């Protein structure tokens, strides 16, 4: 990125800005696609917001190391201000032991136990799939996020995320001060969550043992260095720990209900490897499941539209940007661009198992990228692998409405309204010749599922389908 040179885009008239906002509100993805056809990979949404869609431009924004961009607390989240900067990066580095690959992998058994307990609670009953996964994903990471305050904060974060999902002022592209009931609900739940975070931070002093810290205490330890941004940073982490994993899991349930052959293939992998082994090493032991989930993240892109605030003069793609402006880019459109992908509208998990690269360079960004890549990316993948494998090992999915169009995307792109019944699968038959159905040495039963996982520390409880196209959004 150049720091000084660059052209300025022509300003839009007030009428053009209103027309853009109205068209976006009616059909966000079709509006963005239309603008890309007209203007190419760079266009103005308004006089303060520019959309960039080329993977190199998106990479430049993600990889910024000059402090030109910051993750906005977001009008969509109901409050202004800027989250990010060096303090955020330092706090993330401090929490590597909480969120890194090794820590995420070590959490697999506990995460799987939480999923199993929740699934058992809902077995045989119809559930709202998205809502259920919000609750489960929150429960799996509450301790890591906020220790003894985790359950309360995750519940408030789930309420805030539900408000965002119900209609987030068009994902921040419309001003939050518009008198929309949904915007008021977003502001109210965001304010409640911030108040709880402030209270928890004031009560919880970091322990002497750094390895015992949770993410809230890591942030609180930096005190004034955060400049009053702790609530916004913590809220970002809490919502992120719920949003993409829960939405992706809900999309995964939808795809498995629509594609029984995919479900059968994943169950065969579980039977071959053993569920107990998978949850001990979720990112390496189940390559078919990981490929399936990578394709879910590509095809459905829960974090479908991202934004950054411009805080220093910068040039991207030859366009000059000034402080106070914003940039936006759609990962959903990036992940479906025929220039960068082969058959982007086909759901093909096998593309991730082929020898050739699945996409052009920089064209896959489910967790962002650069120094501000999602801090919980590895933990999110562990959540998803453990959730899907635990579900498939023990339950059949009955979701008769899965083929219905998903509807318009909001702040998080999820299959809102999807309902399903989890029907317990038959218990494994005992070995021929009698015996008590003893497990193998790796802890699995003869059909490859595991013996009961240990309980969660805090919440232990007892006609042919067509290939989806651009309209399946």
């Amino acid at each position: 990125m150049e720091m000084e040179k660059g052209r300025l885009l022509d300003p839009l008239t007030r009428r053009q800005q209103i027309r853009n906002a109205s068209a976006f509100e009616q059909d966000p993805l079709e509006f963005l696609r239309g603008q890309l056809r007209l203007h190419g990979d760079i266009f103005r949404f308004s006089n303060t917001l520019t959309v960039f869609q080329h993977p190199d431009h998106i990479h430049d924004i993600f990889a910024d190391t000059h402090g030109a961009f910051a993750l906005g607390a977001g009008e969509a989240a109901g409050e202004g201000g800027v989250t990010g900067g060096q303090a955020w990066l330092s706090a993330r580095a401090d929490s590597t032991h909480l969120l890194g690959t090794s820590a995420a992998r070590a959490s697999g058994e506990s995460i799987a136990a939480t999923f199993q307990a929740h699934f058992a609670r809902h077995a045989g009953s119809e559930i709202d799939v998205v809502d259920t996964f919000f609750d489960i994903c929150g429960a799996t990471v509450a301790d890591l996020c906020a220790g003894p305050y985790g359950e309360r904060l995750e519940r408030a974060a789930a309420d805030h995320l539900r408000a965002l999902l119900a209609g987030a002022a068009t994902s921040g592209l419309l001003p939050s001060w518009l008198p929309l009931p949904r915007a008021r609900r977003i502001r109210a739940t965001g304010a409640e969550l911030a108040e709880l975070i402030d209270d928890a931070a004031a009560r919880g002093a970091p322990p002497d043992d750094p390895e015992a810290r949770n993410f809230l205490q890591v942030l609180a330890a930096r005190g004034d260095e955060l400049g009053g941004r702790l609530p916004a940073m913590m809220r970002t982490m809490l919502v992120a720990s719920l949003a993409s994993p829960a939405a992706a899991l809900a999309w995964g349930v939808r795809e498995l209900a629509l594609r029984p052959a995919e479900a059968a293939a994943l169950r065969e992998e579980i039977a071959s490897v053993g569920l107990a082994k998978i949850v001990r090493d979720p990112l390496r032991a189940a390559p078919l499941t990981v490929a399936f989930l990578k394709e879910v993240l590509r095809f459905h892109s829960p974090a479908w539209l991202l934004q950054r605030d411009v805080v220093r003069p910068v040039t991207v793609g030859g366009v000059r940007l000034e402080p106070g402006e914003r940039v936006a880019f759609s990962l959903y459109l990036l992940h479906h661009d025929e220039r960068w992908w082969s058959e982007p509208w086909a759901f093909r998990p096998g593309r991730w198992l082929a020898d050739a690269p699945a996409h052009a360079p920089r064209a896959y960004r489910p967790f962002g990228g650069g120094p501000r890549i999602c801090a919980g990316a590895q933990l999110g993948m562990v959540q998803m692998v453990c959730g899907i494998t635990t579900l498939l090992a023990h339950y059949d999915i009955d979701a008769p409405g899965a083929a219905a169009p998903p509807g318009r995307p909001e702040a998080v792109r999820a299959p809102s309204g999807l309902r399903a019944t989890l029907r317990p699968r038959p218990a494994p038959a005992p070995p021929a010749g009698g015996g008590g159905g003893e497990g193998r040495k790796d802890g699995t039963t003869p059909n490859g599922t595991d013996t009961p996982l240990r309980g969660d520390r805090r919440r232990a409880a007892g006609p042919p389908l067509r290939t989806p196209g651009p309209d399946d959004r």
Side-chain angles (χ1 to χ4, degrees):
M1 286 184 294
E2 300 177 24
M3 298 300 293
E4 297 181 359
K5 299 180 180 179
R7 63 188 174 92
L8 295 175
L9 295 179
D10 292 336
L12 302 181
T13 66
R14 181 176 177 85
R15 182 186 296 273
Q16 288 174 313
Q17 295 180 79
I18 293 173
R19 185 170 63 240
N20 284 351
S22 176
F24 184 93
E25 175 75 0
Q26 292 176 23
D27 192 332
L29 287 170
E30 185 53 41
F31 167 78
L32 292 174
R33 272 196 289 260
Q35 293 297 298
L36 291 171
R37 287 192 295 267
L38 286 173
H39 306 292
D41 286 319
I42 303 174
F43 65 89
R44 275 198 183 280
F45 179 88
S46 70
N47 288 335
T48 58
L49 190 146
T50 304
V51 177
F52 294 86
Q53 202 52 46
H54 193 283
D56 289 345
H57 302 159
I58 295 173
H59 169 79
D60 286 346
I61 295 169
F62 276 137
D64 164 52
T65 57
H66 300 287
F69 299 101
L71 175 65
E75 291 160 354
E79 62 182 70
V82 174
T83 300
Q86 189 57 45
W88 171 246
L89 297 179
S90 298
R92 283 168 43 122
D94 290 349
S95 63
T96 300
H97 68 286
L98 294 173
L99 306 172
T101 302
S102 297
R105 187 180 299 144
S107 301
E109 289 182 288
S110 177
I111 288 172
T114 302
F115 274 101
Q116 185 173 340
H118 279 76
F119 291 153
R121 204 173 298 146
H122 295 295
S125 301
E126 188 180 66
I127 60 170
D128 182 299
V129 176
V130 176
D131 204 53
T132 298
F133 279 121
F134 279 170
D135 289 337
I136 301 177
C137 288
T140 62
V141 298
D143 279 340
L144 292 178
C145 282
Y149 309 106
E151 186 172 358
R152 188 180 179 196
L153 290 180
E154 287 288 356
R155 200 158 45 233
D159 287 343
H160 185 50
L161 186 54
R162 289 182 179 102
L164 290 170
L165 190 63
T170 58
S171 299
L173 296 191
L174 293 181
S176 62
W177 46 259
L178 285 176
L180 301 174
R182 61 189 186 183
R184 289 197 297 271
R185 173 63 179 159
I186 291 164
R187 285 194 292 272
T189 55
E192 179 183 1
L193 178 56
E195 183 177 346
L196 290 174
I197 291 170
D198 276 338
D199 181 64
R203 291 170 179 266
D208 293 333
D209 179 8
E211 294 300 313
R213 294 190 199 177
N214 54 65
F215 192 72
L216 175 63
Q217 290 170 324
V218 168
L219 292 179
R222 291 193 164 267
D224 295 339
E225 185 181 342
L226 301 181
R229 296 195 300 272
L230 186 151
M233 291 181 177
M234 189 66 200
R235 189 193 60 205
T236 297
M237 183 62 193
L238 288 166
V239 173
S241 72
L242 296 173
S244 286
L249 283 165
W251 286 118
V253 167
R254 180 180 185 264
E255 293 299 335
L256 292 169
L258 291 173
R259 304 172 191 275
E262 292 286 353
L266 297 190
R267 284 197 176 99
E268 185 176 343
E269 178 177 70
I270 296 167
S272 174
V273 177
L275 183 58
K277 183 175 180 180
I278 291 172
V279 302
R280 286 196 296 267
D281 194 4
L283 303 181
R284 295 186 297 189
L288 290 180
T289 303
V290 171
F292 171 80
L293 290 166
K294 283 184 175 180
E295 186 69 349
V296 167
L297 288 167
R298 180 198 73 83
F299 195 80
H300 293 293
S301 303
W304 72 282
L305 182 67
L306 299 181
Q307 299 176 67
R308 294 292 184 268
D309 296 323
V310 180
V311 295
R312 291 180 53 184
V314 66
T315 298
V316 179
V319 173
R320 174 79 170 182
L321 301 168
E322 298 292 342
E325 297 186 57
R326 284 182 292 158
V327 297
F329 40 92
S330 172
L331 298 184
Y332 180 90
L333 295 182
L334 177 67
H335 294 163
H336 289 82
D337 194 316
E338 294 178 352
R339 294 174 295 174
W340 323 124
W341 297 85
S342 173
E343 299 183 87
W345 294 105
F347 186 89
R348 290 199 297 105
R351 74 174 78 235
W352 299 102
L353 301 171
D355 292 334
H359 54 85
R362 301 174 174 175
Y364 185 61
R365 300 284 189 174
F367 295 105
R372 290 175 180 81
I373 190 172
C374 176
Q378 298 298 315
L379 184 61
M381 284 301 299
V382 168
Q383 282 180 290
M384 290 185 282
V385 172
C386 291
I388 285 293
T389 54
T390 301
L391 176 63
L392 287 174
H394 297 291
Y395 299 94
D396 289 316
I397 302 166
D398 182 10
R408 79 189 298 281
E410 294 292 350
V412 179
R413 190 172 178 277
S416 300
L418 177 64
R419 302 190 69 80
T421 301
L422 306 184
R423 304 199 183 280
R425 293 175 62 78
E438 297 173 350
R440 300 189 181 112
K441 291 182 180 180
D442 66 355
T444 64
T445 52
N447 73 341
T449 61
D450 64 350
T451 52
L453 292 165
R454 60 186 176 84
D456 176 79
R457 292 195 304 269
R458 294 178 297 107
R459 294 181 177 81
L465 295 173
R466 62 184 178 84
T467 299
D471 292 332
D472 292 299
R473 59 179 196 279

